[in-house]
PDB file of all heavy atoms in Angstrom:
ATOM      1  N   ASN A 163     -15.718  24.080 -10.305  1.00  0.00           N
ATOM      2  CA  ASN A 163     -15.456  24.964 -11.440  1.00  0.00           C
ATOM      3  C   ASN A 163     -14.156  24.649 -12.145  1.00  0.00           C
ATOM      4  O   ASN A 163     -13.812  25.282 -13.133  1.00  0.00           O
ATOM      5  CB  ASN A 163     -15.404  26.429 -10.965  1.00  0.00           C
ATOM      6  CG  ASN A 163     -16.770  26.902 -10.499  1.00  0.00           C
ATOM      7  OD1 ASN A 163     -17.772  26.331 -10.906  1.00  0.00           O
ATOM      8  ND2 ASN A 163     -16.799  27.904  -9.661  1.00  0.00           N
ATOM      9  N   LEU A 164     -13.429  23.695 -11.611  1.00  0.00           N
ATOM     10  CA  LEU A 164     -12.120  23.417 -12.209  1.00  0.00           C
ATOM     11  C   LEU A 164     -12.269  22.704 -13.554  1.00  0.00           C
ATOM     12  O   LEU A 164     -13.114  21.834 -13.704  1.00  0.00           O
ATOM     13  CB  LEU A 164     -11.306  22.522 -11.272  1.00  0.00           C
ATOM     14  CG  LEU A 164     -10.840  23.144  -9.964  1.00  0.00           C
ATOM     15  CD1 LEU A 164     -10.166  22.094  -9.106  1.00  0.00           C
ATOM     16  CD2 LEU A 164      -9.870  24.286 -10.232  1.00  0.00           C
ATOM     17  N   PRO A 165     -11.429  23.067 -14.506  1.00  0.00           N
ATOM     18  CA  PRO A 165     -11.424  22.311 -15.771  1.00  0.00           C
ATOM     19  C   PRO A 165     -10.949  20.880 -15.538  1.00  0.00           C
ATOM     20  O   PRO A 165     -10.301  20.600 -14.546  1.00  0.00           O
ATOM     21  CB  PRO A 165     -10.436  23.084 -16.661  1.00  0.00           C
ATOM     22  CG  PRO A 165      -9.641  23.906 -15.719  1.00  0.00           C
ATOM     23  CD  PRO A 165     -10.494  24.202 -14.543  1.00  0.00           C
ATOM     24  N   GLY A 166     -11.254  20.029 -16.456  1.00  0.00           N
ATOM     25  CA  GLY A 166     -11.089  18.585 -16.321  1.00  0.00           C
ATOM     26  C   GLY A 166      -9.766  18.115 -15.756  1.00  0.00           C
ATOM     27  O   GLY A 166      -9.719  17.426 -14.744  1.00  0.00           O
ATOM     28  N   SER A 167      -8.645  18.531 -16.393  1.00  0.00           N
ATOM     29  CA  SER A 167      -7.355  17.972 -15.978  1.00  0.00           C
ATOM     30  C   SER A 167      -6.994  18.430 -14.574  1.00  0.00           C
ATOM     31  O   SER A 167      -6.491  17.670 -13.760  1.00  0.00           O
ATOM     32  CB  SER A 167      -6.263  18.381 -16.970  1.00  0.00           C
ATOM     33  OG  SER A 167      -6.091  19.789 -16.913  1.00  0.00           O
ATOM     34  N   MET A 168      -7.292  19.703 -14.278  1.00  0.00           N
ATOM     35  CA  MET A 168      -6.989  20.205 -12.945  1.00  0.00           C
ATOM     36  C   MET A 168      -7.816  19.468 -11.900  1.00  0.00           C
ATOM     37  O   MET A 168      -7.352  19.139 -10.826  1.00  0.00           O
ATOM     38  CB  MET A 168      -7.303  21.705 -12.873  1.00  0.00           C
ATOM     39  CG  MET A 168      -6.265  22.587 -13.525  1.00  0.00           C
ATOM     40  SD  MET A 168      -6.754  24.318 -13.504  1.00  0.00           S
ATOM     41  CE  MET A 168      -6.637  24.689 -11.776  1.00  0.00           C
ATOM     42  N   ARG A 169      -9.065  19.230 -12.290  1.00  0.00           N
ATOM     43  CA  ARG A 169      -9.938  18.570 -11.329  1.00  0.00           C
ATOM     44  C   ARG A 169      -9.441  17.176 -11.019  1.00  0.00           C
ATOM     45  O   ARG A 169      -9.457  16.729  -9.870  1.00  0.00           O
ATOM     46  CB  ARG A 169     -11.333  18.508 -11.931  1.00  0.00           C
ATOM     47  CG  ARG A 169     -12.361  17.966 -10.985  1.00  0.00           C
ATOM     48  CD  ARG A 169     -13.632  17.803 -11.698  1.00  0.00           C
ATOM     49  NE  ARG A 169     -14.742  17.623 -10.790  1.00  0.00           N
ATOM     50  CZ  ARG A 169     -15.986  17.611 -11.190  1.00  0.00           C
ATOM     51  NH1 ARG A 169     -16.255  17.806 -12.461  1.00  0.00           N
ATOM     52  NH2 ARG A 169     -16.959  17.425 -10.336  1.00  0.00           N
ATOM     53  N   PHE A 170      -9.002  16.475 -12.061  1.00  0.00           N
ATOM     54  CA  PHE A 170      -8.495  15.124 -11.875  1.00  0.00           C
ATOM     55  C   PHE A 170      -7.289  15.126 -10.947  1.00  0.00           C
ATOM     56  O   PHE A 170      -7.191  14.314 -10.024  1.00  0.00           O
ATOM     57  CB  PHE A 170      -8.138  14.520 -13.234  1.00  0.00           C
ATOM     58  CG  PHE A 170      -7.587  13.139 -13.129  1.00  0.00           C
ATOM     59  CD1 PHE A 170      -8.397  12.078 -12.768  1.00  0.00           C
ATOM     60  CD2 PHE A 170      -6.234  12.890 -13.354  1.00  0.00           C
ATOM     61  CE1 PHE A 170      -7.890  10.804 -12.644  1.00  0.00           C
ATOM     62  CE2 PHE A 170      -5.723  11.610 -13.242  1.00  0.00           C
ATOM     63  CZ  PHE A 170      -6.549  10.570 -12.882  1.00  0.00           C
ATOM     64  N   THR A 171      -6.355  16.060 -11.243  1.00  0.00           N
ATOM     65  CA  THR A 171      -5.158  16.144 -10.400  1.00  0.00           C
ATOM     66  C   THR A 171      -5.535  16.421  -8.959  1.00  0.00           C
ATOM     67  O   THR A 171      -4.969  15.854  -8.025  1.00  0.00           O
ATOM     68  CB  THR A 171      -4.247  17.281 -10.885  1.00  0.00           C
ATOM     69  OG1 THR A 171      -4.278  17.326 -12.292  1.00  0.00           O
ATOM     70  CG2 THR A 171      -2.844  17.096 -10.379  1.00  0.00           C
ATOM     71  N   PHE A 172      -6.493  17.292  -8.813  1.00  0.00           N
ATOM     72  CA  PHE A 172      -6.929  17.646  -7.465  1.00  0.00           C
ATOM     73  C   PHE A 172      -7.459  16.418  -6.735  1.00  0.00           C
ATOM     74  O   PHE A 172      -7.119  16.162  -5.579  1.00  0.00           O
ATOM     75  CB  PHE A 172      -8.008  18.726  -7.559  1.00  0.00           C
ATOM     76  CG  PHE A 172      -8.575  19.119  -6.229  1.00  0.00           C
ATOM     77  CD1 PHE A 172      -7.893  19.995  -5.412  1.00  0.00           C
ATOM     78  CD2 PHE A 172      -9.771  18.590  -5.792  1.00  0.00           C
ATOM     79  CE1 PHE A 172      -8.403  20.350  -4.182  1.00  0.00           C
ATOM     80  CE2 PHE A 172     -10.294  18.940  -4.566  1.00  0.00           C
ATOM     81  CZ  PHE A 172      -9.606  19.822  -3.758  1.00  0.00           C
ATOM     82  N   LEU A 173      -8.282  15.645  -7.426  1.00  0.00           N
ATOM     83  CA  LEU A 173      -8.864  14.470  -6.778  1.00  0.00           C
ATOM     84  C   LEU A 173      -7.797  13.447  -6.433  1.00  0.00           C
ATOM     85  O   LEU A 173      -7.835  12.811  -5.371  1.00  0.00           O
ATOM     86  CB  LEU A 173      -9.941  13.860  -7.680  1.00  0.00           C
ATOM     87  CG  LEU A 173     -11.222  14.677  -7.781  1.00  0.00           C
ATOM     88  CD1 LEU A 173     -12.165  14.080  -8.807  1.00  0.00           C
ATOM     89  CD2 LEU A 173     -11.917  14.759  -6.426  1.00  0.00           C
ATOM     90  N   VAL A 174      -6.833  13.286  -7.348  1.00  0.00           N
ATOM     91  CA  VAL A 174      -5.742  12.348  -7.066  1.00  0.00           C
ATOM     92  C   VAL A 174      -4.986  12.790  -5.824  1.00  0.00           C
ATOM     93  O   VAL A 174      -4.677  11.988  -4.937  1.00  0.00           O
ATOM     94  CB  VAL A 174      -4.799  12.260  -8.286  1.00  0.00           C
ATOM     95  CG1 VAL A 174      -3.481  11.623  -7.885  1.00  0.00           C
ATOM     96  CG2 VAL A 174      -5.462  11.456  -9.391  1.00  0.00           C
ATOM     97  N   SER A 175      -4.702  14.074  -5.804  1.00  0.00           N
ATOM     98  CA  SER A 175      -3.975  14.611  -4.656  1.00  0.00           C
ATOM     99  C   SER A 175      -4.763  14.406  -3.371  1.00  0.00           C
ATOM    100  O   SER A 175      -4.218  14.042  -2.326  1.00  0.00           O
ATOM    101  CB  SER A 175      -3.715  16.099  -4.896  1.00  0.00           C
ATOM    102  OG  SER A 175      -2.918  16.608  -3.877  1.00  0.00           O
ATOM    103  N   LEU A 176      -6.064  14.638  -3.454  1.00  0.00           N
ATOM    104  CA  LEU A 176      -6.915  14.456  -2.281  1.00  0.00           C
ATOM    105  C   LEU A 176      -6.852  13.011  -1.795  1.00  0.00           C
ATOM    106  O   LEU A 176      -6.686  12.738  -0.604  1.00  0.00           O
ATOM    107  CB  LEU A 176      -8.356  14.837  -2.639  1.00  0.00           C
ATOM    108  CG  LEU A 176      -9.375  14.783  -1.505  1.00  0.00           C
ATOM    109  CD1 LEU A 176      -9.000  15.769  -0.419  1.00  0.00           C
ATOM    110  CD2 LEU A 176     -10.766  15.087  -2.033  1.00  0.00           C
ATOM    111  N   ALA A 177      -6.944  12.081  -2.742  1.00  0.00           N
ATOM    112  CA  ALA A 177      -6.887  10.668  -2.371  1.00  0.00           C
ATOM    113  C   ALA A 177      -5.552  10.340  -1.734  1.00  0.00           C
ATOM    114  O   ALA A 177      -5.477   9.632  -0.727  1.00  0.00           O
ATOM    115  CB  ALA A 177      -7.123   9.803  -3.607  1.00  0.00           C
ATOM    116  N   ALA A 178      -4.488  10.885  -2.335  1.00  0.00           N
ATOM    117  CA  ALA A 178      -3.144  10.595  -1.820  1.00  0.00           C
ATOM    118  C   ALA A 178      -2.995  11.074  -0.386  1.00  0.00           C
ATOM    119  O   ALA A 178      -2.485  10.357   0.483  1.00  0.00           O
ATOM    120  CB  ALA A 178      -2.105  11.257  -2.716  1.00  0.00           C
ATOM    121  N   ILE A 179      -3.432  12.278  -0.157  1.00  0.00           N
ATOM    122  CA  ILE A 179      -3.254  12.827   1.186  1.00  0.00           C
ATOM    123  C   ILE A 179      -4.149  12.104   2.189  1.00  0.00           C
ATOM    124  O   ILE A 179      -3.756  11.877   3.336  1.00  0.00           O
ATOM    125  CB  ILE A 179      -3.510  14.346   1.170  1.00  0.00           C
ATOM    126  CG1 ILE A 179      -2.355  14.988   0.419  1.00  0.00           C
ATOM    127  CG2 ILE A 179      -3.626  14.892   2.576  1.00  0.00           C
ATOM    128  CD1 ILE A 179      -2.390  16.468   0.367  1.00  0.00           C
TER     129      ILE A 179
END
Side-chain angles (χ1 to χ4, degrees):
Chain A
N163 292 337
L164 291 175
S167 65
M168 283 176 69
R169 186 186 195 172
F170 179 70
T171 322
F172 177 80
L173 288 174
V174 164
S175 185
L176 183 62
I179 290 183

